[in-house]
Amino acid sequence: MKQKMKHPRNCTLGTVLAVFLMVHASRAQHVPLGALPMQFNSSFAGESGASRLNHNLSVQTSGTHVVTQVLNYASYDQFVPQIRTGVGASVSYSNEAGNARMSQSAFATEGSAYSVSLAVAPKLSMKGKYTLSPSVEVLYGRYQSEYNNWPTAELPQKIEGERLLGRASLLFNSQKWYVGASYLAPLSSTTRYRIAGISGVDPLPPSFYWQFGYTFQRRPESKFSVTPQVVFRTGWVTNQLFERFRLTAFMLNLRYGKFVWGVNNAGFHVGFQSARMRLIISQFASRDFERTSYVGSLSFRYVFKQNGEAGQAKW
């Protein structure tokens, strides 16, 4: 039976749940922007004009808490010319394990998460120069984390969640730029926690995402180009914390021929990119409290031929 907690414990619980939700949200930020086209906007499904496969493997070690996270993301999308519509699907799996410290006490943590999604994105051509694409997407995911030897009984021993989300997106783009917006809302979503025998539920709030990208290039045949991309988020993180306009992900990509390099939300990156394939390695390391934190990411993309012709992903 759910019991009403006193105000001090509510404050502690609210802080823990806020940190937990932001940690799970930050996992997606360790995926370089562009590694998964539909990550923030499902209207990118079918954007390449052909079939496209994307995969990203990320590893994060937290020096402060000695926790290692491994994240696996994959997506597939294609353009169906008969109905002028893009369709896409994505899957993800992540796990974490390690030891953390709070005050002078140590505790062990272990968790996992997975999700799947399906998207449909019709394409409306405007004068052959611009494309307007509305889309809808359904996402389902589960996650759980368990903690042993918490330093105080007022903190959770277990947090788990199940969510069914809906996303509506809009993308307007040309060969050189794009502007996108999406609204992600829970259709059925809860976060459950257990604290010293007391249980409770915390819902997931909705969010807006705004995404922009532009390619600077002197001429279409020029070998050198610069492409900045950014994603901003607006919405509630928890019932007490509202973000008006937060930078969620970014990429500054420089390209000369088939060689690419730059910086993104997962670190510095280098790689290879052609019309049909892209391979990028991103890395970032920092020192905190005499420990080293590290984020490493390997992103792969391949665009298949369709009707004997190769498609080309613009972003």
Side-chain angles (χ1 to χ4, degrees):
M1 179 182 295
K2 183 177 178 180
Q3 300 180 15
K4 185 176 181 181
M5 299 182 183
K6 297 180 180 180
H7 180 69
R9 182 173 292 182
N10 277 332
C11 294
T12 304
L13 173 61
T15 302
V16 171
L17 289 177
V19 171
F20 172 79
L21 290 172
M22 285 188 286
V23 166
H24 277 267
S26 69
R27 290 179 174 179
Q29 297 175 19
H30 299 142
V31 178
L33 178 59
L36 301 173
M38 300 180 295
Q39 183 180 1
F40 298 103
N41 191 311
S42 53
S43 293
F44 278 101
E47 171 263 343
S48 66
S51 302
R52 174 172 56 183
L53 178 67
N54 299 274
H55 179 260
N56 185 87
L57 173 65
S58 295
V59 177
Q60 177 196 9
T61 60
S62 174
T64 304
H65 299 299
V66 201
V67 176
T68 300
Q69 295 178 343
V70 179
L71 304 88
N72 254 302
Y73 292 83
S75 70
Y76 173 84
D77 66 285
Q78 71 176 65
F79 178 69
V80 183
Q82 293 82 355
I83 56 175
R84 296 200 57 80
T85 297
V87 294
S90 66
V91 295
S92 72
Y93 176 78
S94 64
N95 61 73
E96 62 179 24
N99 297 298
R101 298 192 64 86
M102 179 173 291
S103 299
Q104 300 299 318
S105 302
F107 59 91
T109 176
E110 182 177 357
S112 62
Y114 72 86
S115 66
V116 295
S117 72
L118 294 173
V120 177
K123 308 297 180 186
L124 307 174
S125 179
M126 304 173 65
K127 299 181 179 181
K129 296 182 179 180
Y130 310 102
T131 301
L132 181 66
S133 178
S135 67
V136 292
E137 183 180 18
V138 177
L139 308 93
Y140 173 79
R142 292 179 63 92
Y143 53 89
Q144 65 174 5
S145 293
E146 295 190 17
Y147 307 91
N148 297 313
N149 303 320
W150 273 107
T152 170
E154 291 188 352
L155 299 178
Q157 287 89 51
K158 184 176 183 179
I159 300 177
E160 59 183 1
E162 180 179 23
R163 55 192 179 189
L164 178 66
L165 307 177
R167 173 153 45 198
S169 303
L170 187 66
L171 180 68
F172 185 48
N173 70 282
S174 69
Q175 290 287 339
K176 296 191 66 173
W177 54 264
Y178 73 82
V179 177
S182 65
Y183 176 68
L184 181 66
L187 303 177
S188 174
S189 178
T190 57
T191 297
R192 296 178 292 273
Y193 54 87
R194 186 177 70 237
I195 303 175
I198 301 174
S199 63
V201 174
D202 192 48
L204 180 72
S207 301
F208 286 94
Y209 291 92
W210 317 92
Q211 191 167 350
F212 311 93
Y214 191 94
T215 296
F216 295 91
Q217 192 174 21
R218 294 188 61 183
R219 294 182 299 274
E221 65 275 12
S222 297
K223 290 186 176 182
F224 181 72
S225 64
V226 179
T227 303
Q229 300 180 73
V230 293
V231 178
F232 295 96
R233 179 189 180 279
T234 301
W236 293 92
V237 176
T238 67
N239 292 331
Q240 293 80 31
L241 179 59
F242 180 78
E243 295 177 334
R244 295 186 180 275
F245 213 61
R246 179 183 179 183
L247 179 63
T248 298
F250 66 91
M251 172 175 275
L252 178 62
N253 190 57
L254 292 83
R255 179 177 179 180
Y256 184 83
K258 296 182 179 180
F259 178 64
V260 296
W261 71 99
V263 62
N264 60 68
N265 50 280
F268 298 95
H269 69 264
V270 295
F272 167 87
Q273 180 174 339
S274 66
R276 296 180 57 195
M277 188 176 73
R278 183 173 75 172
L279 182 66
I280 290 181
I281 298 175
S282 302
Q283 296 190 55
F284 179 78
S286 64
R287 293 282 294 177
D288 185 18
F289 296 103
E290 299 183 353
R291 298 180 185 270
T292 300
S293 298
Y294 170 80
V295 176
S297 178
L298 177 64
S299 305
F300 174 77
R301 179 181 72 195
Y302 188 81
V303 181
F304 297 88
K305 288 185 177 181
Q306 182 162 308
N307 299 326
E309 298 182 0
Q312 181 172 356
K314 295 180 280 294
W315 311 103

